[in-house]
Amino acid sequence: MVLGFTSTLPVTLIGIASIVFLVYAAEIVVSRMQRVAKYYGVSEVVIAMTIVSIGTSLPELSLHLVGSVNILLSDGNLFPYIFSQPISFLLDGFQVVLSSPESVKGFQDVSATVLGSNIGSDVVQQTLVLGLVIFSSALLADKHSFNFSRKFLIRDYAPMMGTTLMTLILALNWPNIINFLFNGGQLAAGGTLTRLDGLVLVGSFVAYIFYLYTTRKEELAEQGSSDPSTRPRIDFAVGILAMFAVIGSAEIFLEVVEMAIAQTGLSGSMIGVASVGVVSAFPEMITAISGLRQGSEGISLGTLIGSNITNPLLAIGAGSLISTYAVPGPLVLWDLPVETATAGILLTYMFSKDAIGDHLAVIARKFGMDGLAERFEAMENRVISIAGAFLLILLYFVYLYVRFKYFQYDFVEA
């Protein structure tokens, strides 16, 4: 039962409304707190590194925090276990504490939902939203392509790919994979994100913030610039109320997902990918396109890439520190590999496009296609055409199709 309703239609509408409200309330928190901080003289660099940086991932972060607290409160064995086996508490997943199959399933469902929402949001931004931003930028500048700076690809895009790869490595069930490769049997690639893994992810986020502070003060100041509040107490109160709304919306959504899993058999990660993943990417898309209209391409791309770094490092890291997570198989067999491969292929292509064009031109000339050869020879590094932007958008829908058709179940029973 969700807010007194049990039938499918009202519960579905409540779920949709809770996600939309969560994202909208998160935007209010960021804007009001940013203005209050500016009123009290907090530097624009600090504002960008804290409120703006964390605020772009607030919907995902709130879902993780609420979900992790719910996991902790789901079983009464937590505190005796902490005092009796502190090493296991740090290194093992929370399922070792749970005393009933129902508690274990609840732990798995919440884990799958929040992880699917997080990674789903990243995939949306890295394919659909990035494609729309490139397409919009080219149209606004009356061009047929979009130029990436070498500094952006090395300093921002490459760390994003590294973040995704690190999350994938930590999330894999390495003992099972090794046993499967050498001895056969059933593959259960999804592992457990322990508190130690969470510490690694959060520590990496702190290191990333320090890296930003030491290398990008001027750009951070531009992102953190805003008008100071004229009513700081009211803005602060509204920000706090909006924060409670964010937490409440996250709690309601998780209740809706729990009921949806029970009634439809859909997996938690699939619901997270298809709902929160899409809706929570809207603010970044709006901010990015707004930045393009103002001629700030760096801020537009920085918003997308920064969010894709913050999501796994801070949101997944903080949630893992609190409760640990059971990692669903589709996350490590499809979602994270697609996200990592997409970033890796695009980055490699950006730096070798000129050489690829020269090789294709040679082949085209052998078949007498001189016009096509000239087009290949004109290819430049770090440039994506409008056609390339459409390919990124198409890639997102291919990703969703394969996800829904071949990766429907989160956890395979042994």
Side-chain angles (χ1 to χ4, degrees), residues 126-340:
Q126 195 171 301
T127 53
L128 178 64
V129 177
L130 182 59
L132 290 173
V133 168
I134 293 171
F135 179 74
S136 302
S137 176
L139 289 183
L140 290 172
D142 196 22
K143 297 179 180 179
H144 298 289
S145 61
F146 182 90
N147 293 359
F148 287 92
S149 70
R150 180 183 179 86
K151 181 185 294 185
F152 169 79
L153 291 174
I154 294 176
R155 193 177 61 181
D156 298 297
Y157 202 84
M160 180 199 72
M161 183 180 68
T163 296
T164 306
L165 182 59
M166 178 171 62
T167 306
L168 174 60
I169 291 172
L170 293 175
L172 284 168
N173 184 354
W174 287 105
N176 175 269
I177 293 173
I178 294 172
N179 182 69
F180 174 80
L181 292 175
F182 288 98
N183 303 317
Q186 188 176 49
L187 176 63
T192 300
L193 286 168
T194 67
R195 290 179 176 84
L196 186 59
D197 296 328
L199 188 62
V200 171
L201 291 172
V202 173
S204 299
F205 175 75
V206 173
Y208 170 68
I209 291 295
F210 179 75
Y211 164 75
L212 292 182
Y213 178 75
T214 56
T215 61
R216 302 177 60 184
K217 284 187 179 181
E218 293 181 1
E219 295 176 34
L220 285 173
E222 188 177 358
Q223 291 185 31
S225 61
S226 62
D227 295 329
S229 173
T230 56
R231 303 172 302 171
R233 293 181 179 177
I234 294 178
D235 282 338
F236 181 78
V238 171
I240 294 298
L241 289 175
M243 190 67 245
F244 280 113
V246 167
I247 296 171
S249 299
E251 177 66 36
I252 291 172
F253 175 75
L254 290 174
E255 291 180 7
V256 170
V257 170
E258 182 181 355
M259 180 173 290
I261 292 173
Q263 292 182 348
T264 67
L266 289 173
S267 66
S269 70
M270 189 176 293
I271 294 173
V273 165
S275 57
V276 187
V278 176
V279 177
S280 62
F282 283 170
E284 283 85 357
M285 181 174 67
I286 294 171
T287 302
I289 294 178
S290 176
L292 289 175
R293 290 176 178 174
Q294 299 172 12
S296 303
E297 294 180 354
I299 292 180
S300 297
L301 293 173
T303 298
L304 297 179
I305 302 307
S307 177
N308 274 23
I309 293 174
T310 303
N311 278 350
L313 293 186
L314 183 60
I316 295 180
S320 300
L321 271 174
I322 295 172
S323 67
T324 77
Y325 289 130
V327 180
L331 200 79
V332 294
L333 294 175
W334 182 244
D335 300 334
L336 282 169
V338 166
E339 187 180 357
T340 306

Side-chain angles (χ1 to χ4, degrees), residues 8-29:
T8 303
L9 180 59
V11 169
T12 301
L13 294 176
I14 291 172
I16 295 172
S18 67
I19 288 301
V20 173
F21 196 67
L22 185 153
V23 173
Y24 177 69
E27 288 291 291
I28 293 177
V29 173

Side-chain angles (χ1 to χ4, degrees), residues 12 40 57 66 70 84 90 101 103 157 200 227 238 252 297 301 347 350 354 367 392:
T12 301
Y40 286 107
S57 299
V66 171
N70 286 346
S84 63
L90 178 64
S103 298
Y157 202 84
V200 171
D227 295 329
V238 171
I252 291 172
E297 294 180 354
L301 293 173
L347 189 65
M350 287 290 94
D354 191 15
F367 289 92
L392 282 174

